[in-house]
């Protein structure tokens, strides 16, 4: 009697091979914690970091990736001096990110690199058929049309890691686009929730970095304080879920328990709730379409107490209004919004402009721009560079209010 044919392994049994762009940042470290918790299901095969060569060297020792890269040649030299084990040094800058993201043994790429540095890598990974877990808002804000068109053409999934978009993805699971009436993004309100515009003139970067709920990188924390973070999420939601600007609402929810909601055409509203821990949305993206166990404490609604919701104050926090304006204009204006915001936030963190000047510089740059089509990566980068140059000049003319 012949022996039975071996049974094919289930999808759950196959180890998913991941590459992390931005492995030394807060999202990257959380992603590695998820990999630790599911070492039988996840294998870290690629890592790319910014300038922290020392931490990347430690990660290489622990996870033994096959390919690594760093943001600059100087950082790569430091890593080389420390030692990278058997990992192949793929290079630095955008080329290094592309090499890590397109390595043949990668199944899923987590893009958690800062700003727009990972744009080329995401597009290249899509062309190579890699699943994208996107933790970087700026990629879709800057080039949402290019990225989503490429993903559709190649049949590649883009899984959102941002807690709000991840929540919407969960709420929409198995639903048709025709069932959506509106998406409702929740915002904590940041450290200055409830303050009037006149009370924000002299706030410091140190104060703005004190987020009441989340612990994040410096740039995203300032974006949360200005509500630009939520504005970028509005644009991102448009591209991820194919909805119009007038179908996306923002509500202030200081408890950060409800991560976002979806209102369906029959009036039902579905919400996703959870503890404030980025490991949850990261694991969801890594495990999708399955769900894996997690050792985090369950959400205790009784202990959470009241859940409050309010309308954003776009007079005190005009960045949200500017983001809606950019989305409604479409074409190149979101690129300008994003670039000018990065310049203005950097100036604020350096102590060279006041908090309220962030929105002022962005609006000046948007007003000076004539929107145009951005149908190629080159066109996107050209508009991005123009906006950075213009906003740098605009920032020089803004006096620090102290």
């Amino acid at each position: 009697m012949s022996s039975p044919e071996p049974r094919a392994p289930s999808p759950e049994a196959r180890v998913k091979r991941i590459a992390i762009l931005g492995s030394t940042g807060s999202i990257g470290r959380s992603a590695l914690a998820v990999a630790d918790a599911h070492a039988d299901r996840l294998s870290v095969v690629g890592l790319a970091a910014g300038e922290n060569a020392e931490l990347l060297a430690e990660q290489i020792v622990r996870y033994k990736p096959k390919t690594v890269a760093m943001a600059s040649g100087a950082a790569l030299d430091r890593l080389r001096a420390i030692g990278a084990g058997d990992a192949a040094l793929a290079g630095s800058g955008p080329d290094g990110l592309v090499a890590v993201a397109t390595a043949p043994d990668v199944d899923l790429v987590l893009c958690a690199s800062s700003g727009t540095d990972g744009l080329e890598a995401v597009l290249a990974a899509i062309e190579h058929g890699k699943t994208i877990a996107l933790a970087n808002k700026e990629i879709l804000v800057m080039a949402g049309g290019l990225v989503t068109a490429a993903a559709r053409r190649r049949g590649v999934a883009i899984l959102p890691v941002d807690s709000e978009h991840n929540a919407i993805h969960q709420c929409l699971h198995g639903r048709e686009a025709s069932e959506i009436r509106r998406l409702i993004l929740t915002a904590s309100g940041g450290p200055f929730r409830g303050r009037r515009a006149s009370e924000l003139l002299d706030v410091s970067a140190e104060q703005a970095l004190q987020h009441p709920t989340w612990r994040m990188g410096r740039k995203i924390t300032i974006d949360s304080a200005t509500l630009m973070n939520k504005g970028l999420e509005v644009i991102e939601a448009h591209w991820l879920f194919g909805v119009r600007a007038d179908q996306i609402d923002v509500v202030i929810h200081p408890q950060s328990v409800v991560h976002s909601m979806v209102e369906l055409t029959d009036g039902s509203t579905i919400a996703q709730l959870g503890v404030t821990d980025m490991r949850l949305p990261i694991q969801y993206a890594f495990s999708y379409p399955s769900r894996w166990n997690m050792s985090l404490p369950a959400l205790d609604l009784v202990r959470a107490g009241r859940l409050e919701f309010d309308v954003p104050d776009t007079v005190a926090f005009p960045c949200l209004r500017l983001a809606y304006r950019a989305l409604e204009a479409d074409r190149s204006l979101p690129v300008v919004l994003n670039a000018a915001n990065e310049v203005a936030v950097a100036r604020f963190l350096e102590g060279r402009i006041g908090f309220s000047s962030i929105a002022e510089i962005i609006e000046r740059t948007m007003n000076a721009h004539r929107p145009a089509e951005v149908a190629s990566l080159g066109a996107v980068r050209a508009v991005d560079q123009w906006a950075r140059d213009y906003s740098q000049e605009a920032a020089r003319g803004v006096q620090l209010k102290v």
Side-chain angles (χ1 to χ4, degrees), residues 121-286:
V122 166
L123 286 170
I126 289 171
E127 291 302 326
H128 283 73
K130 316 295 187 185
T131 299
I132 305 297
L134 195 58
N136 179 309
K137 302 173 182 61
E138 291 87 351
I139 298 296
L140 291 183
V141 171
M142 188 176 183
L146 294 176
V147 172
T148 54
R152 285 193 299 272
R153 184 178 69 253
R154 294 286 292 134
V156 166
I158 300 177
L159 302 171
V161 171
D162 247 350
S163 62
E164 294 80 3
H165 301 93
N166 188 273
I168 290 171
H169 193 278
Q170 295 189 52
C171 292
L172 288 178
H173 186 62
R175 300 187 184 280
E176 300 293 332
S178 60
E179 297 180 69
I180 304 171
R181 178 176 292 169
R182 64 177 177 141
L183 309 181
I184 305 167
L185 300 173
T186 57
S188 69
F192 306 133
R193 178 175 59 89
R195 294 200 192 185
R196 298 185 297 272
S198 60
E199 298 174 303
L200 296 172
L201 296 176
D202 59 352
V203 300
S204 67
E206 182 179 358
Q207 291 171 313
L209 289 168
Q210 301 305 309
H211 195 279
T213 307
W214 297 95
R215 293 294 171 261
M216 307 173 289
R218 287 164 63 83
K219 193 266 182 182
I220 191 174
T221 304
I222 300 302
D223 282 348
S224 180
T226 65
L227 289 193
M228 178 58 87
N229 192 47
K230 210 53 49 178
L232 298 179
E233 288 176 8
V234 168
I235 299 173
E236 188 182 7
H238 161 73
W239 290 113
L240 282 170
F241 306 112
V243 295
R244 304 182 309 272
D246 63 1
Q247 290 179 281
I248 309 170
D249 285 347
V250 173
V251 297
I252 302 298
H253 171 51
Q255 291 81 17
S256 297
V257 170
V258 178
H259 296 304
S260 276
M261 297 172 273
V262 174
E263 182 183 332
L264 302 177
T265 51
D266 64 359
S268 298
T269 298
I270 299 176
Q272 190 268 334
L273 288 71
V275 296
T276 54
D277 193 307
M278 283 305 297
R279 287 175 291 176
L280 282 170
I282 292 168
Q283 179 171 300
Y284 176 85
F286 284 173

Side-chain angles (χ1 to χ4, degrees), residues 17 39 73 78-79 92 126 141 157 237 271 303 306 313 342 344 354 378:
R17 301 166 300 178
R78 293 198 304 273
L79 178 64
S92 60
I126 289 171
V141 171
R303 187 174 181 181
R306 295 179 59 185
D313 180 355
E342 288 193 4

Side-chain angles (χ1 to χ4, degrees), residues 31-53:
L32 290 171
V34 173
D36 289 338
H38 297 284
D40 58 331
R41 291 167 164 157
L42 297 170
S43 173
V44 179
V45 297
L47 295 174
E51 297 293 329
N52 194 338

Side-chain angles (χ1 to χ4, degrees), residues 7-30:
R7 180 180 297 175
S10 69
E12 275 291 303
R14 192 175 75 83
V15 174
K16 192 173 294 186
R17 301 166 300 178
I18 61 174
I20 301 173
L21 310 184
S23 65
T24 58
S26 60
I27 297 295
R29 295 194 304 272
S30 292

